[in-house]
Amino acid sequence: CEDHERQEQVWEMLAHSFNRSPAYIRSRLTEDTVRASDKRVRFVTLEAYVTAGGSVMRDLFEDDHGGWLQDVQLLDKLVAERLQSEAAQLEADGWKWAAAAVDFPWGYRDGMRVITGTAAELTQEEQARVEALQAEAAGIENDYEGVSEIPDEVEQRLTAIDQELALLLERSPVFAPEDMAMAGVFISIDVDGSLHVERGFVRAEDEPKPDSDMPDDGGYAGGEDGHDAGSVDADRPFGGEPSQGSEPSGEPEEDESSIKPLPDKLVCELTAERTLALQDAVANRPDVAFAVVLHAMVLQTFYHGARESCLGVAVHRTGFPHQAPGMADSVSARAIIARHDQWKAKLPEHDIDLWAALLSMTGADQAALFAHCAAFGINAQWEPASRYDGRVSAHTVARRIEHAHVLARAVDLDMVAAGWKPGVENYLGRVTKPHILAAVAEARGEETAALIDHLKKGDMAREAARLLEDSAWLPEPLRTPGIADLVDLGAVSTAASDDLPAFLTGDGEPEDGEDGSFDAWAIAAE
């Protein structure tokens, strides 16, 4: 380490620390650097960083896997320049917009319609090459079937075949120019440092406006997939004509020469009776009732702007205005995205075909899809609430949190298994020193906490993160109270909060230099 001031700081820290291992010293000296294995470094390459004037710190005593990059600002500049260059190229190719970032937050695609392109066709030469590679791979597998150990050169050849087939078959889809003109792409960096491009997202403001003679209900317009949108008048499905004025028309004028459309008022009355009878009939068919609720939920979850359902049930998808660092790449986020993509591939392309597809599913598949859609509406977030602002009260938030505990117990929620660990960025660096010491004392004992009580806030947070690494310790907002800790929801009052969890009350110690306002307490919810 060429920073002598930092060397002295670490030396002084070691004088009061029970941990003097090489790994600990190395972690302290490199905490403001970026590892060469970081995906940002792989993206721009270490060679490009060094060529641009960046310096690399190396370990003199053991393998450091490429070392640590010391000029983080330079690295971020190179990353931003390449991402913007890729974005400019995609816009030049015809896309309306291109958003670029190292990582995007969770839910960044919500509210956008997805356009699916068509698979790129292979040339005759490419198709012949694919068939030859597949035949070669099949021959190798047949030759070594039942063999316990395959030679290294054969294993390498199979890997090379898989990689070449992937390049030939896993191509980006082809989009029509008119679709590209109203849609955009998201550009980010994958975990291996490669460029990750997601194409075909239409923002609500970029949706094409309907023709003046077509109903503007945001629903299915038909036409392109073979369904005749003009066969049924969306405003007058029973062949009638709209009445003049805002009130339904009266009795029809007598005219025996032709059959007049039914009056509006009569159609309203007849369909009201049919609605009542349909409600009663569905109430006696739980299987159909489940299917119609599932249908409405799938429409909202997978089909942007669809209005095919007659059921007034909605899943209000939960947003995340406050997100912890790395939330979009968490174990839970990756699982949700993978499951969503799997269901999307199974569902029909057009919402008008969804009902038949759902009825053809097994009961187990219907239940699994129902659970996936319903989960998007769950909201266990704390939020600041004035009991007089008319939007949401502290009483409402408290009841929401308590019901979230009930649900968490029902599914055996385990935040440790979900991948959460106390770190500097997501907790320890954002609370007071007493909070840090209390966490270490609870997880490791008072004697261990006493070993770090002399440190400055930053060093204390980093050392506490190391001590809590494998402790399974959780802050109170992430814990699920046991049965004995249940709060009677009917007894929760907006006038008293003494019995609520500590992170829901206004009592506590603010950060140094802070006034105890909401921003200090929002830490707990985040």
Side-chain angles (χ1 to χ4, degrees):
C1 175
E2 298 178 1
D3 186 344
H4 296 293
E5 182 179 356
R6 183 55 182 163
Q7 288 179 350
E8 293 173 356
Q9 291 173 350
V10 174
W11 178 263
E12 181 65 22
M13 188 186 307
L14 292 173
H16 302 280
S17 176
F18 71 97
N19 185 0
R20 302 179 182 180
S21 67
Y24 175 73
I25 299 172
R26 187 180 300 109
S27 65
R28 298 286 72 81
L29 292 174
T30 61
E31 59 193 7
D32 295 326
T33 62
V34 175
R35 274 195 172 274
S37 58
D38 188 278
K39 68 178 183 178
R40 291 171 293 173
V41 182
R42 296 183 181 183
F43 180 63
V44 299
T45 73
L46 184 60
E47 180 181 359
Y49 166 81
V50 174
T51 302
S55 59
V56 180
M57 179 167 58
R58 305 304 299 265
D59 194 316
L60 301 178
F61 304 100
E62 62 180 62
D63 185 14
D64 56 15
H65 304 287
W68 295 266
L69 282 66
Q70 295 181 282
D71 195 338
V72 182
Q73 290 184 338
L74 174 61
L75 174 63
D76 289 339
K77 176 175 177 290
L78 295 175
V79 170
E81 288 177 349
R82 185 180 170 193
L83 284 174
Q84 291 303 320
S85 175
E86 297 288 351
Q89 180 59 53
L90 287 165
E91 289 178 343
D93 291 341
W95 293 104
K96 183 171 184 177
W97 53 267
V102 175
D103 295 293
F104 285 101
W106 171 253
Y108 63 96
R109 303 185 302 181
D110 291 352
M112 298 187 188
R113 179 166 62 91
V114 182
I115 297 176
T116 55
T118 57
E121 296 184 1
L122 297 175
T123 64
Q124 292 183 351
E125 293 78 8
E126 290 172 335
Q127 183 62 41
R129 180 59 178 166
V130 168
E131 293 174 356
L133 290 171
Q134 291 175 337
E136 182 182 355
I140 294 175
E141 291 175 357
N142 289 333
D143 292 341
Y144 288 91
E145 183 177 3
V147 178
S148 59
E149 188 173 344
I150 301 176
D152 292 341
E153 60 274 13
V154 176
E155 189 71 37
Q156 293 173 2
R157 178 54 188 160
L158 286 174
T159 301
I161 292 175
D162 289 340
Q163 292 174 346
E164 188 174 353
L165 283 173
L167 292 175
L168 289 169
L169 298 176
E170 297 177 7
R171 298 183 174 186
S172 300
V174 178
F175 294 85
E178 57 270 22
D179 288 339
M180 297 172 65
M182 65 177 178
V185 298
F186 290 102
I187 309 169
S188 57
I189 305 176
D190 215 334
V191 291
D192 62 354
S194 61
L195 186 69
H196 182 64
V197 181
E198 299 174 277
R199 298 172 172 84
F201 295 89
V202 183
R203 294 168 173 164
E205 60 268 25
D206 296 329
E207 289 287 358
K209 298 297 184 293
D211 296 336
S212 58
D213 57 343
M214 295 296 291
D216 185 13
D217 62 353
Y220 171 74
E224 293 184 3
D225 65 342
H227 297 283
D228 185 4
S231 61
V232 176
D233 189 322
D235 292 327
R236 301 288 300 174
F238 301 99
E241 298 177 356
S243 304
Q244 299 295 325
S246 59
E247 295 296 328
S249 62
E251 297 297 324
E253 297 179 0
E254 294 294 335
D255 186 354
E256 299 180 357
S257 62
S258 63
I259 299 178
K260 292 287 186 179
L262 296 177
D264 286 358
K265 184 177 181 181
L266 179 58
V267 172
C268 291
E269 292 174 353
L270 293 174
T271 53
E273 290 191 76
R274 184 170 184 266
T275 297
L276 197 63
L278 184 58
Q279 289 176 352
D280 182 53
V282 172
N284 288 289
R285 286 289 304 275
D287 57 330
V288 177
F290 176 82
V292 73
V293 174
L294 174 61
H295 179 254
M297 294 170 63
V298 174
L299 284 174
Q300 296 172 58
T301 305
F302 290 92
Y303 298 90
H304 179 78
R307 298 292 185 272
E308 293 291 329
S309 178
C310 65
L311 185 69
V313 170
V315 177
H316 300 289
R317 192 156 182 161
T318 299
F320 299 96
H322 303 284
Q323 296 191 19
M327 175 174 158
D329 195 39
S330 64
V331 174
S332 300
R334 291 197 300 268
I336 290 173
I337 292 173
R339 184 170 55 249
H340 192 81
D341 290 342
Q342 290 171 358
W343 278 118
K344 186 176 180 179
K346 294 179 181 179
L347 295 173
E349 181 177 355
H350 296 290
D351 56 343
I352 200 170
D353 302 318
L354 177 61
W355 178 256
L358 294 178
L359 292 184
S360 67
M361 290 183 180
T362 64
D365 283 345
Q366 287 183 346
L369 181 56
F370 183 92
H372 175 71
C373 296
F376 283 110
I378 295 172
N379 184 2
Q381 298 174 93
W382 179 86
E383 60 180 301
S386 167
R387 59 183 68 132
Y388 305 114
D389 68 357
R391 181 180 61 85
V392 61
S393 66
H395 177 66
T396 299
V397 174
R399 289 175 65 90
R400 176 202 301 168
I401 296 296
E402 289 304 323
H403 183 254
H405 292 332
V406 174
L407 187 59
R409 284 190 290 271
V411 297
D412 296 325
L413 179 65
D414 185 346
M415 289 301 299
V416 176
W420 195 91
K421 294 182 179 181
V424 176
E425 292 185 351
N426 66 356
Y427 184 76
L428 296 168
R430 305 171 65 183
V431 297
T432 61
K433 293 174 67 173
H435 278 113
I436 299 174
L437 294 173
V440 175
E442 185 178 6
R444 300 300 188 191
E446 295 288 349
E447 293 183 358
T448 302
L451 295 174
I452 63 171
D453 63 0
H454 64 283
L455 298 177
K456 293 182 178 180
K457 169 70 178 293
D459 293 332
M460 179 186 289
R462 286 186 287 270
E463 182 64 9
R466 188 190 66 79
L467 292 171
L468 297 175
E469 176 70 25
D470 299 317
S471 66
W473 179 88
L474 295 172
E476 189 176 357
L478 296 183
R479 300 179 187 180
T480 301
I483 300 298
D485 300 321
L486 282 176
V487 176
D488 182 5
L489 298 185
V492 177
S493 170
T494 57
S497 60
D498 292 341
D499 295 330
L500 295 179
F503 72 96
L504 291 181
T505 69
D507 300 325
E509 180 182 356
E511 289 283 352
D512 296 337
E514 295 181 341
D515 59 4
S517 61
F518 154 65
D519 288 340
W521 295 115
I523 293 170
E526 293 174 351

